[in-house]
Amino acid sequence: MVLNSMKSSFNVIGREFNLSVAPGKDVSFLNFSSIDIVPRALGASLEKFNFGCDGGLLCLLMYLRGISVERYSFDFTSVANDVFGLCEELGKSIYLVGGEKLEAELFSVKLRYLYPRLRIDGAVGGYFSGEERANVLGSPALQKADVLIAGLGAGRQEQFLLDARTAGFKGFGITCGAFISQTANSRGTHYYPSLINTLRLRWFYRMVKEPHTIRRYLLDYPLNIGRFLLGKYRFTQC
């Protein structure tokens, strides 16, 4: 399995982000849960993505392998503000897919409050039937959007971006995991309290707030860390 780090090709904080990492390539993020799910879901299509390192421990272990990468994730602790701010600045339109229907709508309301001039051409929930999914993929608003942001869970969100390109989407695609749901259900716009961010205890906070993630952190993480240490995952730096 070959994955790409993003330090040189996707540096939002350094303002090098230009909504076009590489022709036909979208951006997603890996941690010690999705690192095994995404390759199995995508197969050979894995090479159609640039991947960021979402997790300090993964960054550290990659560094020990000789690959220096920074932590990136699509939320307000990392690149989300830069992406939305740049889209607003450049007049780029975005299309959002993820969470429950009401969560997607509430998220777009909060986003409009933060970025009044941001063009949001659509915000739809990610729990849809096969027919609904096809309708979303075939939507003219989605296909004409400059940026497509998908938060459907590991594997499913990457596949959605691939299918969107097949359906005619030509813009920049990026995944956001549970960001839409988390922001919609937070009191304000930031899911993680500042102290949690400072102490880097986001994983613990999620287990408390989202009990369904307990298995992920207590079982999937240790298992995939072991696979990493045994050399199952190979990485190249772009």
Side-chain angles (χ1 to χ4, degrees):
M1 182 186 72
V2 180
L3 305 178
N4 295 318
S5 66
M6 299 194 317
K7 184 174 182 181
S8 59
S9 64
F10 183 74
N11 185 1
V12 176
I13 306 303
R15 304 296 289 177
E16 294 175 14
F17 173 66
N18 62 5
L19 307 182
S20 181
V21 174
K25 279 202 172 187
D26 295 316
V27 172
S28 192
F29 306 90
L30 295 177
N31 53 39
F32 272 121
S33 173
S34 58
I35 196 173
D36 199 60
I37 297 172
V38 173
R40 286 191 284 108
L42 297 186
S45 296
L46 195 69
E47 297 303 321
K48 296 182 179 180
F49 286 84
N50 286 315
F51 287 97
C53 188
D54 176 14
L57 182 57
L58 180 56
C59 290
L60 173 61
L61 293 183
M62 287 184 68
Y63 176 78
L64 295 177
R65 278 198 176 181
I67 299 178
S68 178
V69 293
E70 300 172 17
R71 175 189 171 267
Y72 288 111
S73 64
F74 197 97
D75 57 35
F76 288 130
T77 71
S78 187
V79 305
N81 277 321
D82 298 271
V83 173
F84 292 135
L86 191 57
C87 287
E88 183 182 49
E89 177 185 328
L90 299 178
K92 300 293 185 179
S93 64
I94 69 170
Y95 195 99
L96 304 161
V97 181
E100 300 282 356
K101 179 181 178 181
L102 290 178
E103 290 175 334
E105 294 173 354
L106 180 56
F107 176 81
S108 67
V109 170
K110 292 187 175 185
L111 204 55
R112 286 190 173 95
Y113 173 78
L114 291 172
Y115 303 94
R117 295 180 291 107
L118 181 63
R119 291 174 52 198
I120 304 175
D121 286 353
V124 301
Y127 294 92
F128 30 49
S129 65
E131 182 178 354
E132 290 170 334
R133 186 179 189 275
N135 290 336
V136 171
L137 287 169
S139 164
L142 183 152
Q143 294 183 13
K144 293 180 181 179
D146 295 303
V147 178
L148 172 58
I149 301 169
L152 305 170
R156 292 178 61 237
Q157 56 195 8
E158 288 83 6
Q159 187 60 55
F160 186 87
L161 292 180
L162 291 175
D163 293 343
R165 291 210 174 275
T166 300
F169 174 68
K170 304 294 184 185
F172 175 85
I174 190 167
T175 67
C176 68
F179 176 59
I180 292 174
S181 296
Q182 290 174 344
T183 305
N185 292 311
S186 63
R187 288 188 177 182
T189 55
H190 289 69
Y191 181 70
Y192 298 105
S194 57
L195 181 60
I196 293 296
N197 277 323
T198 301
L199 297 177
R200 298 184 178 182
L201 291 175
R202 288 179 290 270
W203 59 273
F204 179 75
Y205 188 78
R206 285 202 68 185
M207 284 199 294
V208 174
K209 296 281 287 186
E210 305 172 56
H212 69 274
T213 65
I214 293 176
R215 171 189 168 88
R216 178 185 309 172
Y217 290 110
L218 297 186
L219 182 61
D220 294 345
Y221 266 58
L223 180 61
N224 291 334
I225 289 172
R227 289 169 171 162
F228 181 97
L229 295 175
L230 291 173
K232 177 175 180 180
Y233 308 117
R234 293 188 299 113
F235 297 84
T236 59
Q237 186 163 9
C238 52

